[in-house]
Amino acid sequence: MNHDQGVISRYRDHLPVSDATPIISLNEGSTPLVHAPTLSEKVGRGCQVYVKYEGLNPTGSFKDRGMTMAMSKAAEQGAKAVICASTGNTSAAAAAYAARARMDCVVLLPAGKIAKGKLAQALVYGAKVVEIDGNFDDALRLVREIGALDQFEVVNSINPFRIEGQKTASFEIVDVLGKAPEVHILPVGNAGNITAYWKGYCEYRDRGQCQSRPKMLGFQAEGAAPLVRGAPVEHPETVATAIRIGNPASWDGAMNAIRESEGHLDMVTDDEILEAQRWLASHEGLFVEPASAASIAGLMKSLDPSRRHAENPMASIAPESTIVCTVTGHGLKDSDIILKAAFPMFKAKTDKEDVLHQLGF
Ligand code: F0G
């Protein structure tokens, strides 16, 4: 049996690997592209919406695609240890793949701003976790400084192999749809993923695997929207901790994707994010973390009839368009955010009558 079934083995012709590259993989990728019938109805005009459910990767987020590449190349180069800054998911993926590669892993996290599930992952996979008294941008600056010392391979998306791995999500979407979608919607934080998706679509088009490329729509959280505002945000704040980033490393890559694809960047409020998260779970059966729901919130915002003006990217979308929303991480990583909200529950004694009575039957 072929033990390598992850994105490198599936797309090795499109990736900078050779026979000398040891493949460090957890069979990432091949995530479902789930049709969303209720969301499609909401969009209307015969458009079909699909959700790329990246929470079903081995560590529960899209980061695994980039990490298999970054870690395989680090192993090829003989690295003994890796380091990254993270809002949580990158650290979980780095820790898991480093365990697999038998390398040490150091992760720098903004103290108190990481969803518990992600912190648990970094710890259980055996990373050395350093909580920084600062935000993600501070942690990434430290990683750049420590990375320059040569003891560590940096596995943030400033490592170009991360982007290479992450572009495979676009390949999968085209392979499943048999074409590129007309619109692709993503949450944007450090901006590596939107850069990677665009690279993937461009390369697939250039190789004749698809004829067109989608408009790329990126959504940031309102309190952490440097790309939308056109300047770094010193104190980013959002309930979507994964995208609580004020100075994205792939700034130029994101702007290039938006410009070349004639796409659009916008922001959504924390309330819109949480509402979209609950809506997607309770209407489509897909539980994603808040940052991931920014793409759904963005789509919903674009549908608002009061926004039917020219700069609304959805206003000019042709009928029967195919729209793909990437939802980047699994909802279970941050169950606290749900349990903090006042969802109604019932209490009952251990008898049938009382259960039915409490339910109002
Ligand atoms: N969604 C989730 C769930 C994320 O974890 C991230 C980034 C993003 C979206 C944004 O992707 O940074 O490529 O624009 N998380 C990073 C981390 C920063 O450290 O886990 P991006």
Side-chain angles (χ1 to χ4, degrees):
M1 185 194 162
N2 172 15
H3 288 178
D4 295 329
Q5 301 188 353
V7 296
I8 296 179
S9 90
R10 287 180 58 217
Y11 293 112
R12 66 181 297 130
D13 292 351
H14 299 266
L15 294 169
V17 291
S18 71
D19 291 345
T21 315
I23 306 301
I24 312 297
S25 171
L26 290 164
N27 292 14
E28 61 293 314
S30 306
T31 53
L33 187 67
V34 184
H35 181 238
T38 312
L39 199 46
S40 302
E41 262 171 47
K42 239 179 173 349
V43 174
R45 297 193 300 143
C47 293
Q48 297 303 324
V49 182
Y50 294 85
V51 177
K52 182 68 169 158
Y53 195 34
E54 288 288 89
L56 293 198
N57 275 297
T59 76
S61 89
F62 70 98
K63 303 287 181 179
D64 296 343
R65 295 179 184 277
M67 210 51 77
T68 184
M69 270 301 298
M71 207 64 73
S72 298
K73 295 303 280 188
E76 181 180 339
Q77 287 149 17
K80 297 278 175 281
V82 296
I83 190 167
C84 67
S86 183
T87 56
N89 282 321
T90 297
S91 63
Y97 283 77
R100 202 66 188 190
R102 302 177 200 183
M103 279 187 219
D104 288 330
C105 178
V106 173
V107 303
L108 270 53
L109 308 177
K113 296 292 184 181
I114 302 294
K116 279 203 189 111
K118 303 175 190 178
L119 184 57
Q121 285 182 291
L123 292 167
V124 79
Y125 292 132
K128 294 190 170 74
V129 174
V130 185
E131 294 190 295
I132 297 293
D133 182 16
N135 60 30
F136 171 83
D137 304 291
D138 299 319
L140 186 57
R141 179 178 45 76
L142 287 169
V143 162
R144 287 182 197 266
E145 287 171 18
I146 297 167
L149 303 177
D150 272 359
Q151 279 123 320
F152 295 95
E153 194 66 35
V154 174
V155 292
N156 279 105
S157 57
I158 52 176
N159 177 332
F161 296 123
R162 280 275 313 278
I163 305 289
E164 290 296 315
Q166 283 173 213
K167 75 184 181 188
T168 59
S170 299
F171 299 165
E172 289 179 9
I173 290 164
V174 172
D175 288 348
V176 168
L177 292 175
K179 61 166 196 168
E182 276 72 33
V183 180
H184 193 120
I185 309 181
L186 284 159
V188 177
N190 210 25
N193 212 27
I194 193 166
T195 303
Y197 268 83
W198 183 240
K199 189 167 198 284
Y201 283 124
C202 291
E203 289 182 8
Y204 239 31
R205 203 263 325 243
D206 292 348
R207 290 226 197 165
Q209 306 279 10
C210 51
Q211 265 61 59
S212 61
R213 303 175 298 188
K215 273 185 193 303
M216 303 297 291
L217 308 192
F219 287 91
Q220 301 202 282
E222 192 179 66
L227 297 175
V228 180
R229 298 182 191 281
V233 173
E234 206 178 329
H235 300 292
E237 254 336 317
T238 168
V239 69
T241 51
I243 51 172
R244 186 174 168 271
I245 294 173
N247 192 9
S250 295
W251 191 298
D252 294 345
M255 297 317 286
N256 180 57
I258 300 296
R259 194 179 49 249
E260 283 188 3
S261 73
E262 295 173 19
H264 193 68
L265 264 178
D266 202 350
M267 55 193 177
V268 282
T269 65
D270 280 2
D271 283 350
E272 287 169 328
I273 288 172
L274 293 177
E275 206 178 304
Q277 182 191 33
R278 287 174 204 171
W279 189 93
L280 190 69
S282 58
H283 290 80
E284 298 284 10
L286 297 166
F287 182 24
V288 304
E289 65 170 283
S292 311
S295 60
I296 307 297
L299 174 57
M300 289 183 169
K301 180 176 175 182
S302 313
L303 300 175
D304 181 345
S306 69
R307 299 185 75 251
R308 292 223 178 274
H309 47 79
E311 74 195 46
N312 176 357
M314 296 302 290
S316 59
I317 295 301
E320 303 192 1
S321 288
T322 300
I323 300 165
V324 173
C325 298
T326 295
V327 290
T328 43
H330 205 291
L332 289 173
K333 283 176 174 268
D334 191 3
S335 52
D336 277 4
I337 200 95
I338 304 300
L339 298 175
K340 252 192 252 163
F343 278 90
M345 286 203 279
F346 302 90
K347 284 204 190 314
K349 301 193 191 89
T350 53
D351 75 77
K352 183 177 71 188
E353 271 69 37
D354 195 42
V355 172
L356 291 172
H357 171 72
Q358 295 299 336
L359 287 169
F361 288 98

